Amino acid sequence: MPIQPVLLWSDFFIWLLVAAGVGAAWWSARQPLLAAAWGRVGHNRVGVAAATLLAAFALVGLLDSLHYRPQLPAKAGASPGEKINYSVEVLSLLDGLLTPLRTRVEKTYSEPLATRAYAKEMMEVRQEDGSLRTLRDYPRLRFGGAALGADEVRAPADIAGRALRALLAGVVGWLALCALVSGRLARKVGVPRREGWRRVWHGETTFAWNALLAALGVIVALLAVLVGLGGEYHVFGTDKVGQDVLYQVLKSVRTALVIGLVTTLVTLPLAVFLGIVAGYFRGWIDDLIQYLYTTLNSIPGVLLIAAAVLMMQVAIDTHPQWFATAAERADLRLLALCFILGLTSWTGLARLLRGEALKLRELEYVQAAQAFGVSDLRILSRHLLPNLMHIVIIALVMDFSGLVLAEAVLSYVGIGVDPTMISFGTMINNARMELGREPAVWWSLTAAFVFMFVLVLAANLLADAVRDAFDPRMA
Amino acid sequence: MVEPARNALEPTSLLEVRNLSLGFAGGGRVLTAVSGLSFSVAAGETYALLGESGCGKSASALALMRLLPAAGRILGGEVRLEGRDLLGLAEAEMRSVRGGGMAMIFQEPATSLNPVLTVGRQIGEVLAQHTDLAGEAARAKAEKLLAAVGIADPARRLCEYPFQLSGGMKQRVMISIALAGNPRLLVADEPTTALDVTIQAQILDLLQDLQAEREMGMLLITHDLGVVARMAHRVGVMYAGELVEEAPAAGFFDAPRHPYTQALFAALPDLSRRGMRLQTIAGQVPTLAAMPAGCRFAPRCPHAWERCRSESPDWSAAGEGHRVRCHLYGEGLEATAKRLVAEGTERSRNASVAGEDAPAPGSASPPSHPPLLRIADLQVHFPIRRGVFQRTVGHVRAVDGVSLTLTAGKTLALVGESGCGKTTVGKAVLQLLRPTGGSVLLDGREIAGLSRSAMRPLRRRMQMVFQDPFASLNPRLRVGEIIAEGLRALLAGERRDTAAVVAALLAQVGLDAGAVDRYPHEFSGGQRQRIAIARALAVQPELLICDEPTSALDVSVQAQILNLLGELQASLGLAYLFITHNFAVVEHLAHEVAVMYLGRIVERGTVEEVLRQPQHPYTKALLSAVPAPRPAAAGEAGGSIIRLPGETPSPAKPPAGCHFHPRCAFATAECRERYPDERALSATRVVRCHLYR
């Protein structure tokens, strides 16, 4: 076997989430009411477009969550029966796909689409007469525009040509996809293809196919351009050690998703359960929970997290035997960070929910349930929880973006993810120095910002659509 | 009370509304909410715009002020105030009209005052905008205004915040703010709906006096026929966004013409129709999106024929200043119209005759039945906690020694103003609140202080129907789940077909079986209340505690619910503990009445006894404060109107002696010292007052 699969803990959680998601989808498809609500999400154009974008991000994240160790090339002259050695470097499927991006490392900074480095260097150039001349210039990049050779003047035309060709291919592919979709829809309803096409683009379908196709169009166009140029140029430039920024950004997506989702998984049960219980039962239970979160809240958040992270770091450093590879260590550190963030950030949502539960418990439908002698747990789950869900969803999405940002802040302080792990936080942290130099290096920060912005915006829009669709009063 | 009707076409009308149409934008189109509204209000005249909720009366008032919400659009028409076209004014000019030309009073005094500004600041704001008074002069003017609306010690009140004032006082302050700009027209949008009857009477008196004094025009928006009868000179009835009838008050109450108006009158519960079904209006008010093409009332009208369904009727004159938008009064149909009017008058006359013949449900039954529910000396006190250590510094005596008995199959009405503790009694009976003292015997078994598990089997014997049908149904559950909740919780052991039971219950309360899978928000208020009743009935209770089940509903819907409750009592033998502040409902439904004041029952007896010959001064005042929807009937009742001064004191600090003595006209020294004991005036009659001994 040429590879050895590796299951990191965060991979396990991610695939668990995926399995839960698939299970929930299968289950809700069989519940007519839930299916109808999801149908309303599907009818919401903004929601579908956001979901399509998120799906693209999720795809990147999932590809990055299948890890393996490649086999090392056998030593020359080794017998076939000899033990196979695997690399200590853990790669993911995404790494495999992005091998050109990953391996073509320049010396240091270079601008997007540049053919030369960003800073002048002393170079020794052999003159025609054979003498060496020292000259100070921007050195030629090893990989950026390598195909051009010495003919650098042609770079803009080359870039435009490649981009156009790729774009054309992308558009053709996209149009084919549109035709396929509208054709299938037309066949399903039994109308001519032209009519099916018209219906899709006039938004007369139940599912917002036009939004899906439009979002896909944007993604396909961007992807085509990236693929067309990425092989030859550094589309987003390179960073200090010459690594391609596009590669870094794509790797950051998984880190952001893990931080956002796994932390939420930790926060949610705590916040929802403690918040509702405090608001509904009041009395000493309320006092206890309030005491707990007031105490947690009164310790500065960063300090608390720093203390926990440092303790964890000590534990990790003193037990190197726990980890077979550096990736496993970095991964565990990421997960621990998620748990620590989760355990310290449930208080805000819990307090919000407690206040709302205090209000809801006085409502007449709760009293009617009490008059029937319905058990408290049942009242909590049937009467309070569903009526609090909108707050939970809003808070979750807000938290998702907040957590991605918190990771950046913590990485900045030096207590975030492992330094070897690429994340938006580490990118932003590095950008601090880069913006300070002259001339400023702007592309790392910009790339991280654009990707983070799109990710968080898409999550927000989808959450809005979901909340509206599940609110019976809006239906 | 009601001044003679003025000429409807007075030349110098203050406000002229012509063909006003307005709508609400939503989902890419504009839905017309009010169309072709025309009326005029003269100086010194009160024009009442009467209609049920959703008919567009409040939206019209806001349109006059050009204060429609963001989605509202004025689609056409003309509004002239003293000859000035308001719809053409620039926003800056409009600001001087609002408050200066016409001012508005809103329904909820608690939310129409800014809680963080003193009363003085809020009046001063208007004075600064509309007069050039400032500083000491403005303060003096504000003081005068407060005195004019009958607030004692105005200088002190100016420095107080709204939370320091009672509900009635807040509404007085609202009125004084409205008056500050010296408006020519006062728009009062349900000014007393949120207030108790005794306070309502005070506010209505005040409005009437102020209007007479200042020769103001008044546009009174209300759903309460009683308020209209007391205040209005002319009446306009709105239905589904249209004015359907306009008449001088006297003519209106003598002979309502439009079938809708007649139906409204017929739906009013009162003693004369006791034990009979109230007339209801079939169907529901059409939604804005689905207005009928012809007459908007046609789908619900018993007299409708083809023409009504295809052609919208125009105005037809039906007497002096009286016009109706109905084909029945059109040309060539005078004969039919006459018959209809005659029928209308006949019906009300018959009703009163029948009322005398009808067996009074309570009087005939032998009192030998053992009572189903016996409450003795029930007390519910809420501790007031203060300070860091939450020490108890006092108690709110919400219920302070209430004793009642209720026989199976009978209705006991618990009447009182808000804050008197009547809802607390209901909840304490159900053990939703722990009683502080006293006993509650259900079928001879003590249930006060039972543990939750011991209480569970008893819960199916008594259930509650709540006041607000919009808050009493969980919006996230389907109707089927809501109704089945009790079945699952209490009858889990019994194997039965839940779906069949739910369907039967829905049929019993007159709802379609298709309702099972729908959510509560898809239903109107009346239908929601039916769902709430079905939920309570699911566990087959013997006792139903109805906490103001109709107070959030319109008159015609109230009639449906009262009919339903009456039918259920007849068929299932339910006992009702009916908590209400509405005497008309009491008259219609109850067998016995108990009047509550500040946590204690001051008078109880059968309906005939208490309502015909009230003994306690409080009962007398309450009864006389209720505005009668039939002016003639009000005259019969004796005409002497007792106005209670002041407001209900706080139950945390009840007055020493008889709780009622500070407001009682007959109070003696003894009343100030000692709470009166119970005096039995007859076998069924008990009064707590020193006047009777």
Side-chain angles (χ1 to χ4, degrees), chain B residues 177-237:
Chain B
I177 291 175
L179 293 180
N182 213 357
R184 302 296 307 126
L185 178 76
L186 194 62
V187 181
D189 187 0
E190 307 262 12
T192 57
T193 308
L195 304 174
D196 282 320
V197 272
T198 54
I199 310 299
Q200 163 171 306
Q202 293 173 5
I203 297 289
L204 292 181
D205 278 348
L206 172 68
L207 285 175
Q208 219 161 27
D209 293 347
L210 288 170
Q211 183 191 28
E213 205 174 287
R214 295 173 172 241
E215 271 288 294
M216 272 190 308
M218 182 148 80
L219 179 62
L220 179 73
I221 291 161
T222 182
H223 68 277
D224 189 336
L225 279 165
V227 172
V228 174
R230 203 165 119 44
M231 299 289 289
H233 301 124
R234 283 195 304 132
V235 186
V237 182

Side-chain angles (χ1 to χ4, degrees), chain B residues 359-373:
Chain B
S363 53
S365 63
S368 56
H369 282 300
L372 176 68
L373 178 75

Side-chain angles (χ1 to χ4, degrees), chain B residues 133-437:
Chain B
L133 294 177
E136 203 41 53
R139 202 190 147 75
K141 174 76 180 167
E143 225 180 286
K144 249 185 171 161
L145 281 167
L146 280 190
V149 294
I151 288 185
D153 198 0
R156 186 169 61 89
R157 294 292 180 194
L158 275 182
C159 311
E160 289 193 338
Y161 288 90
F163 74 89
Q164 292 168 296
L165 310 176
S166 64
M169 215 123 70
K170 277 185 212 155
Q171 194 62 301
R172 285 172 191 266
V173 170
M174 238 357 257
I175 295 172
S176 78
I177 291 175
L179 293 180
N182 213 357
R184 302 296 307 126
L185 178 76
L186 194 62
V187 181
D189 187 0
E190 307 262 12
T192 57
T193 308
L195 304 174
D196 282 320
V197 272
T198 54
I199 310 299
Q200 163 171 306
Q202 293 173 5
I203 297 289
L204 292 181
D205 278 348
L206 172 68
L207 285 175
Q208 219 161 27
D209 293 347
L210 288 170
Q211 183 191 28
E213 205 174 287
R214 295 173 172 241
E215 271 288 294
M216 272 190 308
M218 182 148 80
L219 179 62
L220 179 73
I221 291 161
T222 182
H223 68 277
D224 189 336
L225 279 165
V227 172
V228 174
R230 203 165 119 44
M231 299 289 289
H233 301 124
R234 283 195 304 132
V235 186
V237 182
M238 277 187 87
Y239 178 77
E242 273 185 347
L243 210 54
V244 294
E245 179 165 1
E246 193 183 56
F252 179 77
F253 285 98
D254 283 349
R257 299 297 167 90
H258 197 281
Y260 171 65
T261 322
Q262 291 180 346
L264 269 189
F265 274 101
L268 282 178
D270 65 8
L271 199 53
S272 62
R273 266 170 271 184
R274 206 167 138 65
M276 294 165 43
R277 278 185 62 89
L278 293 170
Q279 195 186 331
T280 59
I281 309 178
Q284 284 179 50
V285 180
T287 59
L288 296 186
M291 277 297 166
C295 170
R296 294 186 174 180
F297 189 58
R300 307 174 70 187
C301 180
H303 310 287
W305 75 98
E306 296 85 73
R307 191 175 163 204
C308 300
R309 292 188 187 93
S310 57
E311 188 188 328
S312 185
D314 209 353
W315 286 109
S316 349
E320 179 72 32
H322 197 148
R323 51 184 191 145
V324 190
R325 205 191 270 262
C326 180
H327 285 309
L328 285 173
Y329 301 92
E331 278 167 48
L333 286 160
E334 285 86 358
T336 341
K338 257 188 205 123
R339 185 172 52 81
L340 193 62
V341 173
E343 255 177 30
T345 7
E346 186 78 1
R347 201 181 297 127
S348 62
R349 198 175 303 139
N350 279 352
S352 54
V353 174
E356 284 156 28
D357 295 343
S363 53
S365 63
S368 56
H369 282 300
L372 176 68
L373 178 75
R374 183 191 287 279
I375 307 171
D377 202 26
L378 183 72
Q379 293 178 329
V380 184
H381 295 179
F382 299 107
I384 308 170
R385 296 181 200 277
R386 289 254 166 78
V388 186
F389 298 105
Q390 299 286 301
R391 270 184 312 134
T392 306
V393 293
H395 283 96
V396 174
R397 296 163 190 272
V399 176
D400 198 17
V402 163
S403 304
L404 291 170
T405 51
L406 175 56
T407 325
K410 292 280 173 276
T411 303
L412 169 65
L414 198 54
V415 191
E417 294 182 286
S418 59
C420 73
K422 53 194 193 301
T423 298
T424 311
V425 171
K427 288 187 178 163
V429 168
L430 272 181
Q431 302 296 305
L432 290 177
L433 290 171
R434 294 254 151 213
T436 317

